[in-house]
């Protein structure tokens, strides 16, 4: 995200359990070795957003079929979720804000369901789902989606365009406003979307563009994201788009969509996307996603967002630096996602420093001079800003300004060779997984053969101006 204001018993027993599962869905068998079935937790346990996400299962795939009527804002959905139970489940939760649920089936049998709180959909299957068992949940629902209006983070989720179209964008939550989901960064899944809209509307989503075909209700557009995605990184956008389709040098498809009124300057910046991705690949390793492109809105929303494979841009932010930032997230934040929201510097500090690296390589900027100038003018409030465990609602603040300074100081502390190795191998080591800032610290220490506790305490974990030892390492010398 880039804000506009700064902004995871023995063999005999295992065989017995598998044999029991195959005997038939209508037989509630014993659960030897695993204990009795119980409800899955109604939250994933994040310290900032403990009720977001759920426990007891792991989603592999969301297969979503949607009809959407721009004139009435009515959305009708049919969704199939493929998952595996990580405990024996008597019931389990999904997250959904707003739309009405019409029916739920688990493994083809009607399931009971209730709604609790502001986003909990509690599902009780006809029989328990045993630990290790793969199961499917099919949900029919409808309604007029509405964004979540967070007092600190603004509008998140399904939003409406002035043209009459709509789009989904928001962090830390967005998906819950338009489909049932396990809304936690800890549960990535592939995402398949077939959405039907009136013929005059265009649609863009995550991943690779599938077939388009006519139906009695309009035109169906298919998008398939085969890179596992965190829920808030999924999106769909409906408008009278101008499409631009091309490929990267390795054949990866690029699809970008421009809302009416998008400036020529923005289109020219996006046409440099292959160059941007080649540059970022030289720094961070091979491009880690199955597709690329961008979604350029007309609406001046308060942020742009790294939606997987295809970032979504505010109508006032389609500039080159923002495109570099959001695409850097495909390595830092998307394919390697945070373990907890307090680790968000692993997303935003790195995407912001990617902008520095671009300026250095493409514009000849002296980053040491840029760093020293920023240090010289930094206020006490700036130094008090935290880059780790900054508190809910404060995630998207100093990570954009103090964050790149911390990484430039780290580069000068451990040396260019070690720094290059760290940032280029981090995604490969953690690809399609989650990571924490302490894990990044330990990995950097191993690569650099240095104890970096003092540095991380001063820059990442602390909230005071670092001492000169950490403020002016290596070739960085204080300006007069």
């Amino acid at each position: 995200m880039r804000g506009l204001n700064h902004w995871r018993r023995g063999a005999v027993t295992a065989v017995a359990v598998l044999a029991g599962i195959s005997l038939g869905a209508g037989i509630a068998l014993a659960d030897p070795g695993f204990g009795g079935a119980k409800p899955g937790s109604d939250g994933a346990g994040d310290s900032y957003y403990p009720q977001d996400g759920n426990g007891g299962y792991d989603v592999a795939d969301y297969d979503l079929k949607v009809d959407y009527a721009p004139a009435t804002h009515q959305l009708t959905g049919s969704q199939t979720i493929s998952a595996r139970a990580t405990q024996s489940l008597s019931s389990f939760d999904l997250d959904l804000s707003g739309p009405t649920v019409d029916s739920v089936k688990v493994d083809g049998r009607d399931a009971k369901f209730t709604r609790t709180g502001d986003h909990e959909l509690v599902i009780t299957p006809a029989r328990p789902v045993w630990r290790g068992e793969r199961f499917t949940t099919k949900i029919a629902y409808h309604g007029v989606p509405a964004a979540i209006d967070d007092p600190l983070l603004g509008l998140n989720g399904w939003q409406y365009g002035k043209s009459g179209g709509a789009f989904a964008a928001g962090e830390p939550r967005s998906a819950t406003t338009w489909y049932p989901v396990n809304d936690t960064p800890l549960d990535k899944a592939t995402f398949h979307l077939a959405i039907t809209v009136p013929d005059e509307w265009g649609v863009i989503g995550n991943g690779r563009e599938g077939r388009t075909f006519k139906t009695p209700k309009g035109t169906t557009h298919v998008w398939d994201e085969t890179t596992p995605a965190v829920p808030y990184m999924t999106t769909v956008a409906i408008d009278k788009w101008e499409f631009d389709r091309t490929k990267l040098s390795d054949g990866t498809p690029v699809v970008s969509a421009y809302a009416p009124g998008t400036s020529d300057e923005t289109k020219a910046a996006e046409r440099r996307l292959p160059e941007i991705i080649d540059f970022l690949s030289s720094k961070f390793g091979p491009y880690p996603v199955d597709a690329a492109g961008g979604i350029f809105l007309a609406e001046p929303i308060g942020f742009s967002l790294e939606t997987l494979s295809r970032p979504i841009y505010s109508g006032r932010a389609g500039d080159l630096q923002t495109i570099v930032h959001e695409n850097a997230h495909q390595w830092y934040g998307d394919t390697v996602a945070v373990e907890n929201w307090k680790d968000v510097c692993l997303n935003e500090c790195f995407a912001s420093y990617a902008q520095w690296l671009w300026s250095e390589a493409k514009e000849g900027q002296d980053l040491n001079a840029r760093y020293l100038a920023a240090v010289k003018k930094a206020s006490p409030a700036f130094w008090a800003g935290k880059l780790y465990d900054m508190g809910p609602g404060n995630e998207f603040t100093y990570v954009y300004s103090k964050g790149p300074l911390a990484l430039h100081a780290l580069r000068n502390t451990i040396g260019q060779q070690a720094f290059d190795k760290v940032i280029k191998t981090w995604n490969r080591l953690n690809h399609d997984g989650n990571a924490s800032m302490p894990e990044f610290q330990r990995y950097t220490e191993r690569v650099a053969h240095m104890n970096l506790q003092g540095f991380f305490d001063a820059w990442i974990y602390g909230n005071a101006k670092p001492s000169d030892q950490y403020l002016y390492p290596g070739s960085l010398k204080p300006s007069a």
Side-chain angles (χ1 to χ4, degrees):
M1 176 185 280
R2 187 175 188 224
L4 300 181
N5 297 321
H6 311 291
W7 327 38
R8 186 142 310 230
R9 290 197 180 266
V12 173
T13 299
V15 170
V17 172
L18 290 172
I21 292 170
S22 68
L23 288 176
I27 304 174
L29 299 175
D31 187 23
F34 296 129
K38 60 182 181 181
S41 64
D42 63 356
D46 185 84
S47 58
Y48 293 178
Y49 308 104
Q51 296 306 117
D52 286 5
N54 307 281
Y57 62 93
D58 199 11
V59 177
D61 180 75
Y62 296 100
D63 190 347
L64 182 57
K65 295 177 174 59
V66 168
D67 293 341
Y68 181 67
T72 62
H73 297 172
Q74 186 75 18
L75 183 150
T76 304
S78 174
Q79 180 183 34
T80 301
I81 302 173
S82 301
R84 180 182 60 85
T86 58
Q87 69 169 71
S88 295
L89 293 166
S90 59
S91 66
F92 59 93
D93 287 26
L94 289 163
D95 300 303
L96 179 66
S97 300
T100 298
V101 176
D102 301 308
S103 66
V104 178
K105 292 179 181 290
V106 177
D107 287 336
R109 298 173 64 90
D110 289 339
K112 297 178 181 178
F113 60 92
T114 58
R115 305 289 290 270
T116 65
D118 61 358
H119 64 255
E120 297 292 339
L121 170 60
V122 185
I123 298 171
T124 304
R127 67 164 183 89
V129 180
W130 303 120
R131 177 180 161 188
E133 184 177 357
R134 299 184 184 279
F135 65 101
T136 60
T137 304
K138 186 168 184 178
I139 303 166
Y141 63 100
H142 74 278
V144 175
I148 300 165
D149 193 356
D150 188 293
L152 295 174
L153 300 172
L155 294 178
N156 282 260
W158 192 274
Q159 301 175 56
Y160 298 99
K162 293 179 181 178
S163 67
F167 58 93
E171 186 180 11
R173 56 179 70 89
S174 170
T176 57
T177 61
W178 65 290
Y179 68 93
V181 64
N182 190 21
D183 198 15
T184 169
L186 298 175
D187 198 359
K188 296 181 178 181
T190 54
F191 183 73
H192 303 278
L193 174 65
I195 179 167
T196 303
V197 295
D199 293 338
E200 65 270 22
W201 294 92
V203 174
I204 189 164
N206 305 91
R208 297 193 175 217
E209 188 174 15
R211 65 195 184 105
T212 300
F213 55 93
K214 299 285 188 179
T215 74
K217 295 182 179 179
T219 301
T220 300
H221 305 261
V222 177
W223 293 87
D224 295 308
E225 181 53 85
T226 58
T227 302
V230 170
Y232 79 83
M233 297 172 191
T234 62
T235 190
V236 65
I238 302 153
D239 211 319
K240 307 292 178 65
W241 302 110
E242 174 190 339
F243 286 95
D244 186 11
R245 296 174 174 89
T246 185
K247 292 182 179 180
L248 301 181
S249 58
D250 64 0
T252 299
V254 178
V255 182
S256 296
Y258 306 102
T262 302
S263 71
D264 290 340
E265 291 80 5
T266 291
K267 294 176 184 177
E270 177 68 357
R271 281 196 290 270
R272 296 182 69 179
L273 183 60
E275 177 191 357
I276 292 168
I277 290 178
D278 281 348
F279 171 76
L280 295 172
S281 297
S282 75
K283 298 296 183 181
F284 302 147
Y287 184 60
V289 195
D290 60 344
I295 303 169
F296 293 85
L297 303 173
E299 284 63 42
I301 60 174
F303 56 88
S304 296
L305 184 66
E306 61 271 20
T307 40
L308 186 66
S309 72
R310 195 157 289 112
I312 190 164
Y313 297 95
S314 167
R316 48 182 171 150
D319 59 279
L320 190 61
Q321 287 283 327
T322 302
I323 293 170
V324 170
H325 181 104
E326 301 305 341
N327 281 280
H329 275 307
Q330 306 305 307
W331 286 264
Y332 285 90
D334 287 21
T335 49
V336 181
V338 293
E339 180 128 335
N340 295 283
W341 280 105
K342 64 184 179 182
D343 298 305
V344 74
C345 181
L346 288 176
N347 299 5
E348 301 299 344
C349 297
F350 287 84
S352 298
Y353 194 60
Q355 297 173 241
W356 283 42
L357 295 173
W358 174 270
S359 295
E360 179 182 44
K362 300 293 184 174
E363 300 163 9
Q365 186 174 65
D366 183 338
L367 294 190
N368 283 358
R370 179 174 180 173
Y371 172 94
L372 292 169
V375 166
K376 187 173 183 178
K377 71 177 184 180
S379 67
F382 176 90
W383 295 117
K386 296 193 69 176
L387 298 180
Y388 176 76
D389 202 7
M390 60 288 288
N394 299 314
E395 300 96 319
F396 307 109
T397 51
Y398 291 97
V399 288
Y400 303 103
S401 53
K402 187 178 177 183
L405 267 66
L407 289 177
H408 194 66
L410 179 64
R411 175 180 172 180
N412 279 269
T413 298
I414 68 176
Q416 189 68 51
Q417 185 176 4
F419 185 78
D420 287 347
K421 183 176 180 180
V422 168
I423 65 172
K424 197 164 190 175
T425 57
W426 179 250
N427 184 277
R428 176 171 57 83
L429 291 171
N430 298 281
H431 185 73
D432 286 343
N434 301 79
S436 70
M437 182 59 76
E439 288 173 328
F440 178 77
Q441 176 190 338
R442 292 192 292 271
Y443 180 61
T444 304
E445 289 175 332
R446 288 197 298 273
V447 172
H449 305 290
M450 295 173 65
N451 184 328
L452 294 169
Q453 191 62 53
F455 178 92
F456 275 78
D457 285 342
W459 273 105
I460 306 297
Y461 306 134
N463 61 346
K465 185 177 181 178
S467 66
D468 284 1
Q469 175 185 0
Y470 303 114
L471 196 59
Y472 301 113
S475 61
L476 293 169
K477 303 299 178 187
S479 56

